[in-house]
Amino acid sequence: MSWRVRLLGLAGAVAFGCTSGPTAPSSASAACTPHPASANAVLPVFGRPFDGAFPIGNFFDHDKPIEGDGNGYVLTLCGARDTSQVDGHAGYDWRMPEGTPLLAVADAVVLTAGLEVPNFCPQLNRTVQALLVVLVHTAPTGELYASIYGHLSRIDVQAGASVSEGTVIGLSGNTGCSGTPHLHFGVGRNVAGRYVLID
């Protein structure tokens, strides 16, 4: 699924839309072998959004992770162009059975927990709403990050609540503009009061 995400300040507005077919694994996964000299510095902030291992259906578009501003391909982490992925995809999709428990990736405050803004899904040819949760995390550096969980079947938290890392925030699903049960997971970093999508 292709998602458009706008997080404006901490009050946050999140909108999601779909522009491609069902979640499917890439037929051309790009392999690269990063090494210490080429890798980015890492600040360990997040745990896993679920237990277990599930295949990735769609990757984060490193070139233009913005729906409606695509360029015909997804640029992978390793710099390869992949035209089989959802152009402008602003996160990762993990294919998993509906009802898989989803976990807070770090201590957080729940920003959003409920239905997204209605949007038209071309693949389903109707207006849809997904269940979603957005959590705001404070990194050890003081920076703010937002984690986005989309297409849920159930939500177990309320806006304004504090949650600890590993808390079940809801269950994976197939709501909204979705062709198969999966979790859409994205992250934004607060830059001057706006959350900018990152990988």
Side-chain angles (χ1 to χ4, degrees):
M1 304 305 97
S2 175
W3 295 66
R4 71 180 174 276
V5 177
R6 283 179 253 126
L7 291 175
L8 308 173
L10 289 178
V14 181
F16 299 94
C18 163
T19 62
S20 188
T23 306
S26 171
S27 60
S29 71
C32 64
T33 52
H35 48 83
S38 68
N40 292 326
V42 174
L43 175 64
V45 175
F46 291 152
R48 296 176 51 85
F50 48 79
D51 285 329
F54 299 98
I56 290 180
N58 287 307
F59 292 94
F60 182 89
D61 189 346
H62 286 82
D63 188 27
K64 290 189 166 191
I66 303 164
E67 183 190 5
D69 191 25
N71 52 10
Y73 59 86
V74 167
L75 190 67
T76 70
L77 175 65
C78 298
R81 292 182 180 190
D82 187 344
T83 57
S84 68
Q85 293 283 316
V86 176
D87 188 17
H89 195 248
Y92 286 88
D93 288 347
W94 275 283
R95 293 182 297 136
M96 60 182 58
E98 187 164 338
T100 301
L102 303 176
L103 312 175
V105 293
D107 294 350
V109 173
V110 180
L111 179 63
T112 301
L115 286 169
E116 69 174 336
V117 175
N119 62 84
F120 182 75
C121 176
Q123 276 49 52
L124 300 177
N125 196 31
R126 61 185 166 93
T127 299
V128 297
Q129 289 180 283
L131 288 174
L132 76 119
V133 171
V134 179
L135 305 178
V136 174
H137 314 276
T138 303
T141 60
E143 289 183 287
L144 296 176
Y145 292 87
S147 58
I148 302 153
Y149 302 73
H151 300 305
L152 280 64
S153 62
R154 187 180 85 195
I155 294 176
D156 293 337
V157 294
Q158 294 181 346
S162 294
V163 296
S164 301
E165 180 176 346
T167 299
V168 175
I169 55 101
L171 303 178
S172 65
N174 192 26
T175 60
C177 192
S178 176
T180 59
H182 70 286
L183 165 66
H184 174 93
F185 181 79
V187 175
R189 181 170 60 96
N190 187 296
V191 177
R194 296 176 67 94
Y195 284 92
V196 177
L197 292 166
I198 59 173
D199 174 31

